[in-house]
Amino acid sequence: MQLLDGKLVSQTIKAQLAAEVAAGLKKTPHLAAILVGENAASQVYVNSKIKSCEEVGFKSTLIQRPAETTEAELLELVQQLNSDPDVDGFIVQLPLPKHINDERVTLAIDHRKDVDGFHPINFGRMAQGMPAFLPATPYGIVEILRHYHIETAGKNCVVVGRSNIVGTPISILLSRKGYPGDCTVTLTHSRTHDLPAEVRRADIVVAAIGIPEFIKGDWVKEGAVVIDVGINRVADESKKSGFKLVGDVDFESVAPKCSYITPVPGGVGLMTVTALLINTLKASKREIYG
Ligand code: BQF
């Protein structure tokens, strides 16, 4: 079993991004992030995105607003960033407070600045194989597969979870023509009959359901590649924070059966942040939309 090291791949890609910035660009890439409310995990995620920008020499702007911010106020902020010529790309950190409709917010983002790749224009272009901002987590997954030269053509890939942000787009990317792609993809979810039997057929498993340690060792075929997208906080009194991070995969029982597996922490999560940086550079160079 070999670990797919998200930290190593992230460092490799960030070094390339930093070298490109250092060599001189027409414009310093600029990422902005809007954070609404006080969700502790969201604050960690946004801070790591800002810190990653600094590491590679990008400019960043963090806009923080209280949980009571109205949807109209947030839409106004989105419009400001849409029309700010210095901002190449921006994100609205999810989850948003319950009184805000994230669909309306996503639709309000200029698709040319949608570096999270959540806007339906980017989603539709991705699905048709046109240039698009790829959603950050699926993009991170394909980059980790690429770094380790993992074969994908003709492989059975079973995706567990059908969210708009991970399960659905990664199933599209892995079934697309070319590398990494050309998989035969099965997209499974809460209504799937006999999920363990589906997972046992997989050469590549992508676990993105948000249930801690859900996928067990006896569900996984010998030699499978396992991509664990889960970031779940579970209580752990031995930690200063009072919790530890675990994936959607029961690492202890699954890892011995795998050819490759991503750890949590240190796997796909780091790649999500790195993919956001790649998209921000593409936005600043107008690679997708000219
Ligand atoms: C790691 C996210 C759920 C909902 C909204 C590294 C991140 C996480 C874990 C990270 C995530 C998850 C992000 C690790 C960004 C990934 O070492 O395991 C990095 O920063 N993520 C997000 O912005 O919003 C989320 C998960």
Side-chain angles (χ1 to χ4, degrees):
M1 178 275 298
Q2 199 189 335
L3 282 181
L4 298 171
D5 185 345
K7 188 163 182 181
L8 173 75
V9 182
S10 286
Q11 281 170 346
T12 306
I13 294 173
K14 281 185 193 174
Q16 289 163 356
L17 297 173
E20 215 174 313
V21 173
L25 296 164
K26 281 196 197 120
K27 177 186 180 303
T28 302
H30 182 183
L31 174 72
I34 305 176
L35 174 60
V36 183
E38 267 91 69
N39 182 306
S42 293
Q43 282 176 351
V44 172
Y45 298 149
V46 166
N47 289 339
S48 88
K49 292 169 188 179
I50 300 294
K51 186 168 156 269
S52 298
C53 283
E54 282 165 19
E55 280 172 32
V56 298
F58 291 4
K59 183 174 172 186
S60 63
T61 302
L62 174 56
I63 301 168
Q64 283 186 274
R65 288 293 181 271
E68 304 75 42
T69 304
T70 65
E71 184 177 305
E73 286 166 339
L74 178 55
L75 291 171
E76 176 57 35
L77 268 177
V78 166
Q79 293 308 339
Q80 277 177 32
L81 293 177
N82 281 345
S83 51
D84 183 337
D86 194 62
V87 171
D88 298 301
F90 67 97
I91 64 160
V92 178
Q93 180 64 43
L94 299 181
L96 287 166
K98 281 193 254 318
H99 64 276
I100 299 178
N101 178 310
D102 32 311
E103 215 168 277
R104 274 196 290 270
V105 175
T106 300
L107 283 169
I109 297 172
D110 184 333
H111 63 278
R112 294 166 300 182
K113 295 192 176 190
D114 171 36
V115 287
D116 255 340
F118 293 166
H119 194 288
I121 291 177
N122 281 309
F123 190 98
R125 291 175 61 103
M126 171 200 67
Q128 298 202 17
M130 296 161 70
F133 290 116
L134 301 181
T137 300
Y139 194 4
I141 293 170
V142 303
E143 288 307 309
I144 218 167
L145 294 172
R146 196 194 307 278
H147 180 96
Y148 285 91
H149 308 290
I150 290 174
E151 274 187 59
T152 56
K155 302 295 183 191
N156 286 324
C157 174
V158 172
V159 177
V160 186
R162 56 178 156 183
S163 72
N164 288 335
I165 329 189
V166 183
T168 299
I170 193 66
S171 71
I172 292 168
L173 288 173
L174 290 177
S175 55
R176 261 174 27 177
K177 211 184 251 299
Y179 182 79
D182 289 328
C183 289
T184 305
V185 175
T186 304
L187 181 51
T188 69
H189 45 73
S190 55
R191 304 296 297 267
T192 295
H193 289 298
D194 202 351
L195 181 63
E198 293 295 340
V199 174
R200 275 184 207 108
R201 299 173 39 253
D203 304 306
I204 301 172
V205 181
V206 179
I209 21 154
I211 304 174
E213 299 175 330
F214 183 66
I215 308 277
K216 306 298 182 191
D218 63 341
W219 304 16
V220 173
K221 178 161 82 177
E222 196 70 42
V225 176
V226 173
I227 307 295
D228 189 352
V229 183
I231 308 284
N232 305 292
R233 290 183 167 197
V234 302
D236 182 348
E237 287 169 19
S238 74
K239 299 272 182 176
K240 206 164 43 173
S241 60
F243 68 86
K244 64 173 176 174
L245 289 185
V246 303
D248 291 347
V249 172
D250 178 28
F251 190 88
E252 188 181 299
S253 65
V254 171
K257 305 195 72 178
C258 298
S259 56
Y260 296 93
I261 185 168
T262 61
V264 177
V268 172
L270 295 171
M271 294 302 300
T272 297
V273 179
T274 301
L276 178 66
L277 298 179
I278 307 175
N279 278 342
T280 302
L281 179 64
K282 287 184 174 177
S284 82
K285 291 164 75 180
R286 306 230 188 280
E287 257 186 54
I288 310 285
Y289 292 107

